[in-house]
Amino acid sequence: MEEKKITSLEGMAIINEMIQRSKTRRFIGDGNILLMWGYLVVGVAALVWILIDLTHNPAMNWFWYLIWIIGGIATPIMARKRREKAGVTTYADKIGNAVWTTVGLSAFALTLICLGFFLFSGTDTWSSMLMLPLLIVGFAEIVQGVAIREKSLIWGGGIGIVSGLVTLCCIAGGIALYAGWFMPMFIMSFALMMILPGHILNYKSRKER
Amino acid sequence: MKELDPLLHSQLRLAVMSILMNVEEADFVYLKEKTSSTAGNLSVQLDKLSSAGYIAVEKGFVGKKPRTVCRVTDTGRKAFEEYVKDLRKLLNI
């Protein structure tokens, strides 16, 4: 393509062709951030579950913070690399960034609120930290799934929301979240919500290439 | 009949604007690949679009490699929409 005058018909053809060429919604490695978070959450949840089971020490719950520390450091690095590799930021990316930033900030705000309750009134509200990721991550996944038209994200997000609502009802109804049933549900939900769609996304983007 | 915007009524500049209208931002390498143009020619056309205020060009570095990122401005968006409207009128569609 070069700098040359064109007819009206050619003008219209160029516009159509460029829209076609730039309408790619998937890029190689799109599922990597999802996979990182999925394996991280599942790994840490399994670690906490095993440690609590072995030691019966609630202090092992502090290991949950590994998720925020590792994920918080890795995500911006991975997102920047992905952006540079793709060479383009689409409107779907913009929606995704806004939604996931909201998820991150909400989780951070809830941590501070729970800490506040614990420090100032001695009330244990930490179980809400188990409900929030399921609900809000599920919601974010559905938004992203709609934006990039990826059904596995929509289904995964739906499963997360249902698990989150079950957890919410248990908390509201005073039903104890025993590790024996809650941890497998939590781990399974994140595997279906992030790991499975992450691999599907990577497979599809490789195939499209 | 109204004359088509001469700045947009050119093969490569129109191609660049069409891509940028379709995405949030794109870098030089992406534009070069999608328009199948040469680096020199693309660079000249980007300068013309930027001088007219149709696109914003941001130059930075990724490690030691330079990276130029382009995005369409409100002026460019308006001009492109007007161009498409005029084109439709001309083609009776």
Side-chain angles (χ1 to χ4, degrees):
Chain A
M1 203 166 270
E2 54 195 74
E3 152 70 339
K4 69 170 188 186
K5 288 280 175 199
I6 48 173
T7 65
S8 310
L9 212 56
E10 283 171 335
M12 202 49 110
I14 288 169
I15 294 171
N16 284 333
E17 194 187 336
M18 290 305 126
I19 289 171
Q20 287 302 316
R21 283 193 198 183
S22 59
K23 76 171 185 185
T24 320
R25 294 189 304 269
R26 295 187 191 93
F27 300 95
I28 296 280
D30 259 4
N32 288 349
I33 294 180
L34 271 180
L35 286 175
M36 183 275 292
W37 277 101
Y39 282 116
L40 181 63
V41 172
V42 166
V44 171
L47 177 76
V48 172
W49 186 15
I50 291 166
L51 288 175
I52 287 182
D53 199 47
L54 290 176
T55 64
H56 299 285
N57 183 356
M60 297 302 153
N61 278 309
W62 288 105
F63 278 106
W64 284 111
Y65 284 95
L66 277 177
I67 295 174
W68 301 121
I69 296 166
I70 299 172
I73 294 169
T75 305
I77 298 169
M78 290 174 82
R80 202 188 65 204
K81 273 191 180 166
R82 186 254 179 213
R83 205 169 44 240
E84 288 164 4
K85 206 172 169 188
V88 65
T89 306
T90 63
Y91 293 110
D93 293 333
K94 198 182 172 189
I95 294 168
N97 288 342
V99 169
W100 288 108
T101 303
T102 310
V103 169
L105 291 176
S106 305
F108 183 65
L110 185 67
T111 308
L112 293 182
I113 293 165
C114 288
L115 198 63
F117 269 103
F118 185 67
L119 292 175
F120 297 111
S121 71
T123 317
D124 180 2
T125 57
W126 293 108
S127 52
S128 59
M129 290 288 293
L130 297 170
M131 177 269 296
L132 181 91
L134 290 165
L135 266 184
I136 203 167
V137 169
F139 176 76
E141 285 222 344
I142 290 177
V143 173
Q144 197 178 10
V146 170
I148 65 168
R149 293 182 206 167
E150 177 50 56
K151 280 183 185 161
S152 64
L153 282 171
I154 299 171
W155 279 104
I159 290 166
I161 287 178
V162 171
S163 303
L165 291 174
V166 169
T167 312
L168 181 67
C169 288
C170 288
I171 295 169
I175 300 167
L177 301 174
Y178 289 120
W181 67 268
F182 180 76
M183 293 306 262
M185 183 186 84
F186 188 84
I187 288 171
M188 202 61 191
S189 300
F190 266 91
L192 292 173
M193 211 168 31
M194 304 193 108
I195 297 176
L196 189 65
H199 282 298
I200 291 174
L201 266 180
N202 275 355
Y203 170 74
K204 284 188 178 172
S205 54
R206 264 199 311 271
K207 213 170 121 189
E208 268 182 14
R209 206 72 173 178
Chain B
M1 188 69 78
K2 194 180 163 190
E3 199 192 332
L4 290 167
D5 184 343
L7 207 69
L8 292 177
H9 200 55
S10 143
Q11 194 184 31
L12 185 49
R13 288 195 295 269
L14 182 59
V16 168
M17 284 297 287
S18 303
I19 292 171
L20 292 178
M21 285 293 287
N22 205 27
V23 299
E24 180 71 11
E25 59 178 39
D27 70 14
F28 187 85
V29 179
Y30 180 87
L31 290 172
K32 184 171 159 285
E33 186 195 310
K34 294 293 173 192
T35 57
S36 315
S37 57
T38 62
N41 196 5
L42 179 61
S43 185
V44 171
Q45 303 316 320
L46 288 181
D47 275 345
K48 285 185 184 175
L49 289 169
S50 172
S51 302
Y54 285 8
I55 63 168
V57 179
E58 201 179 291
K59 292 185 179 184
F61 283 89
V62 178
K64 284 179 182 171
K65 275 163 69 180
R67 182 170 186 252
T68 304
V69 178
C70 308
R71 66 177 64 89
V72 75
T73 62
D74 287 344
T75 312
R77 196 171 295 280
K78 229 178 256 176
F80 187 84
E81 283 164 1
E82 195 66 28
Y83 174 82
V84 173
K85 213 165 85 185
D86 295 340
L87 208 55
R88 281 175 174 276
K89 261 188 211 162
L90 269 174
L91 295 168
N92 283 322
I93 50 173

